[in-house]
């Protein structure tokens, strides 16, 4: 049984343990698919849960149904961050490829397709803001960045999405 | 509805669709069981405890940072090679492996020794190897993992410990979900990854001992 000392109340610890039990295996599997290393994947997932514990006060207001999506996005970010930190040991192309890797998912709408193909960081920000309804402050807490950095990145991400979406729509409607 | 409102609605709907599809794609793979090792769980508990200890002793943090910086500088001074982070040095051969794996490629990374070899052995679940030409006996602990070349990582063994004294052997057995896993793969779909968990200075000794073809 894990005891999360950073959580203040017994109730918080129990809720956190439930979140961990319900999601850790799934997140580890996803991290493995990105990092191809059990040790690295465990490190990435571990970091996600530590961040979650650290910012629990801000994030516990998140509706339960949105927690899996939030953790999935954070796991991708932690996995990519982990590789970026080791950039000097990896081929540069491999890091860049990961950052620009589209999500390969069966999607119905053209807009979702555009979103899935955005650079990973922009895609993650938009999913947290518009898919999960997190405030920029909550996203900043989850990603460990400043509010101004998140605000500015969100602005650029949304602008890029809209431009690419309208470009695609324009192409589709051309005679 | 304004253009901005329309764009926001499109973005919100697209986000919901992507999140749903993404969560489903991960959940669909329940048949691929993934062990969360006890070590992983212990690490989370230990790291959390450590961080809280630091919180309680905030005044100690600046002093610790200065001490760490000092140790790093001393380490770099004593071992200038380690400053060349990212430069992967490789050696071929010199690791004797019985019944297969005629060559093992070894890459020495700043944080540890990584041994990589192609698994070509048939129907064998025990990997046996011995270090040769080591200058002195080193107690070595390796984390070993099979990685499918197609991308999906295979099972990892528990960390194993043995001695690098010439002629001594380390046995590795892969166990996944309680089932002994046959790591051998005649088609060569797997890569065997062995990572030394030794401290850096011990790795140096190990590398000096086995890097015959530098």
């Amino acid at each position: 049984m894990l005891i999360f000392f950073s959580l203040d109340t017994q109730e918080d610890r129990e809720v956190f343990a439930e979140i961990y039990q319900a999601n850790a295996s799934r997140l580890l599997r996803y991290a493995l698919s990105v990092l191809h290393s059990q040790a690295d994947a465990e490190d990435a997932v571990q970091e996600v849960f530590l961040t979650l514990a650290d910012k629990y006060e801000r994030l516990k207001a998140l509706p339960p149904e949105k927690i899996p999506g939030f953790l999935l996005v954070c796991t991708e970010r932690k996995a990519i961050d982990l590789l970026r930190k080791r950039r000097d040991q990896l081929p540069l192309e491999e890091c860049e490829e990961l950052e620009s890797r589209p999500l390969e998912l069966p999607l119905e709408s053209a807009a979702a397709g555009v979103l899935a193909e955005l650079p990973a960081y922009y895609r993650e920000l938009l999913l947290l803001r518009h898919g999960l309804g997190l405030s920029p402050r909550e996203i900043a807490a989850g990603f460990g960045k400043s509010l101004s950095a998140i605000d500015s990145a969100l602005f650029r991400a949304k602008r890029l999405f809209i431009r690419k979406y309208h470009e695609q729509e324009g192409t589709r409607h051309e005679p | 509805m304004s253009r901005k409102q329309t764009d926001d609605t499109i973005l919100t709907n697209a986000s919901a669709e992507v999140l749903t599809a993404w969560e489903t794609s991960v959940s669909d793979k329940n048949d691929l069981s993934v062990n969360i090792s006890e070590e992983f769980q212990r690490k989370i508990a230990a790291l959390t405890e450590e961080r809280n200890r630091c919180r309680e002793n905030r005044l100690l943090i600046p002093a610790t940072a200065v001490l760490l910086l000092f140790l790093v500088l001393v380490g770099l001074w004593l071992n200038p090679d380690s400053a060349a982070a990212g430069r992967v040095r490789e050696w071929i051969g010199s690791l004797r492996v019985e019944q297969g794996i005629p060559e093992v490629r070894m890459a020495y990374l700043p944080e540890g020794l990584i041994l990589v070899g192609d698994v070509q052995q048939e129907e064998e679940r025990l990997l046996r190897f011995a270090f040769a030409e080591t200058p002195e006996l080193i107690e070595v602990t390796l984390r070993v993992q099979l990685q499918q070349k197609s991308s999906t990582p295979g099972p990892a063994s528990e960390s194993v410990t043995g001695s690098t004294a010439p002629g001594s052997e380390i046995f590795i057995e892969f166990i996944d979900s309680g089932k002994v896993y046959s790591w051998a793969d005649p088609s060569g779909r797997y890569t065997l990854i062995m990572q030394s968990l030794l401290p850096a200075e011990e790795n140096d000794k190990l590398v000096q001992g086995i890097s015959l073809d530098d």
Side-chain angles (χ1 to χ4, degrees):
Chain A
M1 178 67 186
L2 294 172
I3 301 172
F4 296 98
F5 298 92
S6 61
L7 305 174
D8 293 331
T9 66
Q10 182 62 27
E11 188 188 350
D12 281 351
R13 289 176 194 168
E14 285 173 11
V15 171
F16 193 89
E18 275 176 31
I19 294 173
Y20 175 82
Q21 294 288 349
N23 293 281
S25 169
R26 199 169 62 90
L27 298 175
L28 186 57
R29 190 183 309 122
Y30 179 68
L32 270 170
S33 75
V34 176
L35 294 165
H36 309 306
S37 153
Q38 176 86 16
D40 286 349
E42 290 190 352
D43 283 349
V45 176
Q46 172 181 293
E47 283 294 320
V48 169
F49 279 103
L50 283 175
T51 305
L52 185 65
D54 222 13
K55 312 292 180 190
Y56 194 66
E57 276 304 309
R58 281 186 184 166
L59 299 172
K60 72 179 179 183
L62 207 60
E65 69 274 12
K66 293 189 173 177
I67 286 176
F70 171 75
L71 292 174
L72 194 52
V73 173
C74 288
T75 300
E76 182 180 66
R77 179 55 19 209
K78 289 289 180 191
I80 293 174
D81 282 349
L82 198 147
L83 283 184
R84 289 170 76 94
K85 278 182 193 165
R86 297 178 183 173
R87 173 170 284 192
D88 53 359
Q89 294 159 23
L90 285 170
L92 187 61
E93 302 76 33
E94 197 174 318
C95 291
E96 287 178 348
E97 189 181 304
L98 197 61
E99 191 65 71
S100 59
R101 187 183 70 145
L103 275 179
E104 291 175 2
L105 299 169
L107 298 166
E108 290 182 5
S109 73
V114 169
L115 181 56
E117 289 183 359
L118 287 185
Y121 184 51
Y122 284 172
R123 181 177 67 227
E124 290 156 9
L125 290 174
L126 293 177
L127 289 176
L128 292 176
R129 181 78 184 98
H130 296 273
L132 298 172
L134 265 65
S135 69
R137 193 175 294 279
E138 287 166 331
I139 297 172
F143 275 15
K145 299 204 174 215
S146 69
L147 180 58
S148 61
I150 293 296
D151 272 336
S152 141
L154 266 170
F155 175 77
R156 290 196 303 273
K158 189 173 174 184
R159 189 175 57 186
L160 181 64
F161 169 80
I162 290 169
R163 182 169 61 78
K164 284 184 174 287
Y165 173 70
H166 287 296
E167 275 174 10
Q168 180 165 324
E169 284 299 286
T171 309
R172 284 174 56 189
H173 293 137
E174 276 176 9
Chain B
M1 194 182 283
S2 71
R3 167 104 178 226
K4 181 179 181 311
Q5 282 174 317
T6 310
D7 287 340
D8 280 351
T9 306
I10 290 168
L11 185 49
T12 301
N13 292 340
S15 299
E17 186 181 341
V18 169
L19 273 173
T20 304
W22 197 5
E23 285 175 38
T24 306
S25 77
V26 177
S27 302
D28 279 350
K29 295 174 183 166
N30 282 334
D31 54 328
L32 295 174
S33 63
V34 172
N35 286 331
I36 298 175
S37 65
E38 285 181 15
E39 184 194 353
F40 175 48
Q41 300 197 27
R42 275 198 302 275
K43 271 164 74 180
I44 284 199
L47 275 173
T48 311
E49 190 175 7
E50 177 64 27
R51 188 193 46 203
N52 282 293
R53 198 177 299 125
C54 288
R55 276 182 177 170
E56 289 163 9
N57 301 295
R58 283 183 192 279
L59 287 176
L60 285 177
I61 293 174
T64 308
V66 170
L67 179 62
L68 281 174
L69 181 61
F70 173 74
L71 289 175
V72 167
L73 290 173
V74 169
L76 290 176
W77 179 65
L78 289 175
N79 182 16
D81 273 0
S82 65
R87 188 167 147 259
V88 177
R89 294 142 61 185
E90 293 189 350
W91 297 269
I92 303 293
S94 78
L95 186 68
R96 183 165 61 83
V97 181
E98 292 190 2
Q99 300 176 358
I101 317 185
E103 273 191 345
V104 174
R105 187 164 59 84
M106 288 168 283
Y108 179 49
L109 302 172
E111 77 276 20
L113 177 73
I114 309 282
L115 311 174
V116 182
D118 286 333
V119 179
Q120 296 168 345
Q121 206 165 347
E122 290 186 21
E123 294 306 318
E124 178 63 80
R125 62 184 168 79
L126 283 178
L127 170 67
R128 178 194 296 181
F129 64 89
F131 291 93
E133 307 287 342
T134 43
E136 60 179 291
L137 185 148
I138 299 173
E139 191 81 349
V140 59
T141 300
L142 299 170
R143 177 188 286 139
V144 185
Q145 184 186 8
L146 278 178
Q147 182 162 319
Q148 252 181 337
K149 287 179 178 170
S150 61
S151 77
T152 311
S157 77
E158 293 294 326
S159 295
V160 290
T161 302
S163 163
T164 61
S168 66
E169 294 169 335
I170 296 175
F171 292 88
I172 298 168
E173 188 169 21
F174 293 96
I175 299 178
D176 186 22
S177 304
K179 170 182 133 186
V180 175
Y181 186 84
S182 173
W183 61 271
D185 178 56
S187 64
R189 280 185 299 122
Y190 289 99
T191 291
L192 178 69
I193 297 175
M194 293 180 275
Q195 180 175 18
S196 165
L197 303 180
L198 286 171
E201 64 273 20
E202 295 293 277
N203 264 324
D204 285 342
K205 291 182 197 168
L206 190 59
V207 169
Q208 284 161 19
I210 59 181
S211 59
L212 300 179
D213 300 312
D214 192 356

